[in-house]
Amino acid sequence: MTDDQTGTVDQLILDHLDHANLPETAEDLIIAALLGDEDLAAVLGGAALRRPEPPAADEAASEPIGTYLASVEVTGFRGIGPSATLNLIPGPGLTIVTGRNGSGKSSFAEAAEFALTGNNKRWAGRTAVWQKGWRNLHASTGPCIRVRLGVEGHRDGATVECHWANDAKLTECTTFLQATGQRRQSVADLGWAKSLELYRPFLSYSELGGLLGGKDSEMYDSLQRILGLGRLVEIETMLKTARREMDQQRKRAAESLPALKAALAEHPDPRARLAEHALTGRHADLDQLRTLTISGEVADDATVVPLRQLDVLHVPSHTELTTESTSSAPRCARSTPWPAPRPRRPGHWPGCSATRCATAPTTPISLAQCAGVAPWTRNGPPRRRRSYSG
């Protein structure tokens, strides 16, 4: 499917969801599948849905003007060599073109479809031979397609013309719309791009035959290609895959539940009793289990509370301690040094008090004042006097 057709189908799904009255969860899953695999996985994981932006106001579809095929003229395209014209009666309804094999029925349909859309669904997904053999060599002039349209309110209608140079490729064509009495303009100005992608007006013999006969699966596949249901199948497959994975997770959870209940029954934590209660019943209380999982409150637990208090303490690592001791060493080196000892004054007793000597006046002092003994003499320390009796 093309991007335009995908966008159109997605918008139709969103429009239907607005009036479907589905549960919010189901609606979110469908919208997430429209956005892609990543958004679907995020919503399944509990994330909020990223809703797509609504289309701009100028893109709103207006009431189309009735336009019908009046004729298709083809030259040198597919099975048609010399110029041939298929005249039709313009008007609403289904037009069936019949004829023998090889008369050019499919070539007329493919030519009209290519002139209006620039593509051909019959060639989509096939080998390159289908596109390389588009030019008919029996034409004396260059390939050309003219689609005449009957338009309500316009007497002479309009013409869509598509032509190629003699050596041009399939995609190297010139296409324009010519309304009677008006200048040429692009086919895109018609505003039919989305409608032509979603509601294909041209069906080949093989596509039409697939709707009328064959197996049920073949009829379904044909209808799917014609109506552009490939996008719906893609979304359906994505949702089925997601449901299969969720079922597998649910199965694994059910297998692990008995062992979990046994572990909770043996655990002394009061929260284990609450978890057991949340797991009872047909459906587990997932909100309560989630609260217990992330909650840090423990009531009347003399073991866990001190451990949690220790857990918030910051204990320095070996590296931090080494760094701290290294950075403290310069502060000790920069501290005020001890004052140098004052040299002893001559005449002081060697064992005198350092404090008292340091505060002594500059004038000579006696040893009696310094050490409580007799003063020195010039010849040295005082000699002990002998006493004689009698």
Side-chain angles (χ1 to χ4, degrees), residues 203-215 218-219 222 226:
L203 302 180
S204 65
Y205 172 80
S206 59
E207 292 174 321
L208 184 60
L211 294 178
L212 302 178
K215 300 179 181 179
E218 295 176 352
M219 296 175 61
S222 299
I226 293 171

Side-chain angles (χ1 to χ4, degrees), residues 278-286:
L279 290 174
T280 57
R282 184 173 182 181
H283 300 287
D285 189 348
L286 298 181

Side-chain angles (χ1 to χ4, degrees), residues 67-72 86-97 148-150:
T67 305
Y68 312 97
L69 286 176
S71 67
V72 181
L86 174 64
N87 293 311
L88 305 170
I89 301 176
L94 175 64
T95 300
I96 299 178
V97 179
R148 293 182 177 86
L149 305 172

Side-chain angles (χ1 to χ4, degrees), residues 3-232:
D3 293 339
D4 289 340
Q5 190 173 12
T6 298
T8 304
V9 173
D10 289 358
Q11 188 59 49
L12 288 174
I13 294 175
L14 293 175
D15 294 341
H16 281 290
L17 286 177
D18 292 338
H19 310 286
N21 296 325
L22 292 177
E24 184 178 0
T25 303
E27 183 177 336
D28 289 347
L29 290 176
I30 295 175
I31 296 177
L34 294 176
L35 297 176
D37 293 327
E38 295 183 358
D39 292 87
L40 179 58
V43 172
L44 289 173
L49 175 65
R50 178 179 61 87
R51 290 185 174 271
E53 295 291 336
D58 56 354
E59 295 182 0
S62 58
E63 185 67 23
I65 299 176
T67 305
Y68 312 97
L69 286 176
S71 67
V72 181
E73 180 183 349
V74 182
T75 303
F77 184 86
R78 298 294 291 167
I80 301 175
S83 180
T85 302
L86 174 64
N87 293 311
L88 305 170
I89 301 176
L94 175 64
T95 300
I96 299 178
V97 179
T98 62
R100 62 181 177 82
N101 292 339
S103 60
K105 302 183 299 295
S106 297
S107 296
F108 278 112
E110 293 171 5
E113 183 176 8
F114 189 87
L116 293 174
T117 66
N119 194 11
N120 190 284
K121 294 299 181 182
R122 190 182 181 191
W123 306 344
R126 301 206 178 187
T127 61
V129 177
W130 282 78
Q131 295 189 15
K132 290 181 180 180
W134 66 275
R135 184 190 296 268
N136 193 300
L137 302 180
H138 296 283
S140 58
T141 60
C144 180
I145 303 172
R146 290 186 180 91
V147 179
R148 293 182 177 86
L149 305 172
V151 182
E152 292 180 353
H154 295 269
R155 178 179 178 181
D156 297 324
T159 301
V160 175
E161 183 171 331
C162 177
H163 59 84
W164 293 262
N166 290 329
D167 57 348
K169 298 180 180 180
L170 176 63
T171 56
E172 298 173 348
C173 59
T174 301
T175 306
F176 59 86
L177 169 68
Q178 178 69 66
T180 304
Q182 300 180 10
R183 62 180 180 84
R184 292 182 177 181
Q185 56 183 327
S186 172
V187 177
D189 296 337
L190 293 172
W192 293 351
K194 291 184 177 181
S195 298
L196 289 172
E197 286 284 352
L198 187 61
Y199 308 105
R200 290 183 55 208
F202 312 104
L203 302 180
S204 65
Y205 172 80
S206 59
E207 292 174 321
L208 184 60
L211 294 178
L212 302 178
K215 300 179 181 179
D216 293 341
S217 59
E218 295 176 352
M219 296 175 61
Y220 176 82
D221 293 339
S222 299
L223 184 63
Q224 171 183 309
R225 288 192 302 269
I226 293 171
L227 299 181
L229 301 180
R231 177 61 173 165
L232 295 178

